[in-house]
Amino acid sequence: MRSARRCVLVSALLLSVVMGGCAVTAINNCAEADWYMVGFEDGTAGRPTDYFDTHNAHCAGTTDPDQLAWQAGHEDGLTHYCSAAGGIAEGSRGLPRSGVCPTALAADFIEGHRLGREIYLTSERMQAIEQEIRALEARRSADLLSPALGDDTRGRIRQLEMEYDRLRRELRILELRAERLSRK
């Protein structure tokens, strides 16, 4: 059961790498910063345009960041973030849909996010089932149940296992759809 959860997490990680997710480079020297790359990384991370104010504040008193270079990089970064793969990555982590995507790019991101959200909700339901099964098995193994309740518990565990298997198949289909969509 844990392998399905692990598979979802690995898929989300791979999708975030595919969409170009980068860690933001620390800006140690504002005068020497590559403001295009800083903007690109901010766009790839899905940060809004007002995030530039953070850089302005960080560099206050030293030099002014190159806003035009940052904006050009940000726009280019958004083309990666606002892709179907970007939406899948965000949705599969349970993150809400952001409003940073330009209208021309939003449709793919929204479609991907919707699919990623389905993956997230399915894996969350699977995790809840795993926890319920463990709790029922612990009660049963502790011999805290009367024979009649023990039979009911075994029946409930079987139901949960069937539901888990159904969700695992559904999750695999969703992951295949996500893989296909992210290659679009």
Side-chain angles (χ1 to χ4, degrees):
M1 288 184 204
R2 286 195 176 119
S3 63
R5 178 80 172 147
R6 210 173 304 128
C7 184
V8 170
L9 295 176
V10 169
S11 297
L13 176 63
L14 289 174
L15 287 171
S16 66
V17 169
V18 166
M19 72 177 225
C22 308
V24 174
T25 303
I27 303 169
N28 296 324
N29 185 339
C30 293
E32 293 179 15
D34 181 343
W35 288 103
Y36 174 87
M37 281 308 299
V38 173
F40 183 82
E41 290 175 356
D42 288 344
T44 300
R47 293 189 179 99
T49 54
D50 64 2
Y51 195 79
F52 181 78
D53 297 340
T54 304
H55 300 304
N56 241 347
H58 174 75
C59 295
T62 59
T63 187
D64 289 333
D66 183 346
Q67 188 168 9
L68 291 177
W70 182 89
Q71 283 176 324
H74 186 262
E75 287 175 17
D76 289 346
L78 282 179
T79 62
H80 293 279
Y81 175 81
C82 296
S83 65
I88 292 166
E90 293 290 283
S92 64
R93 289 193 309 254
L95 298 173
R97 195 171 69 218
S98 69
V100 300
C101 295
T103 305
L105 302 174
D108 286 343
F109 180 85
I110 291 169
E111 183 181 1
H113 189 274
R114 191 174 300 125
L115 182 55
R117 184 87 179 143
E118 284 183 61
I119 290 169
Y120 173 78
L121 293 173
T122 302
S123 64
E124 287 292 302
R125 177 66 184 131
M126 290 171 71
Q127 187 175 9
I129 289 172
E130 285 178 343
Q131 290 173 349
E132 188 175 350
I133 289 171
R134 281 194 301 271
L136 289 169
E137 287 175 341
R139 283 181 58 202
R140 194 176 74 190
S141 67
D143 233 7
L144 300 174
L145 303 173
S146 68
L149 287 176
D151 289 342
D152 290 345
T153 301
R154 278 189 289 282
R156 177 67 180 144
I157 289 172
R158 277 193 298 275
Q159 284 177 329
L160 289 169
E161 288 171 341
M162 287 189 303
E163 175 68 4
Y164 186 90
D165 287 343
R166 184 190 68 75
L167 289 170
R168 187 178 56 222
R169 288 187 301 274
E170 184 178 317
L171 181 61
R172 183 64 188 136
I173 291 168
L174 291 170
E175 289 171 338
L176 290 170
R177 284 179 46 207
E179 186 179 316
R180 192 173 31 241
L181 181 62
S182 67
R183 284 190 258 141
K184 251 177 130 177

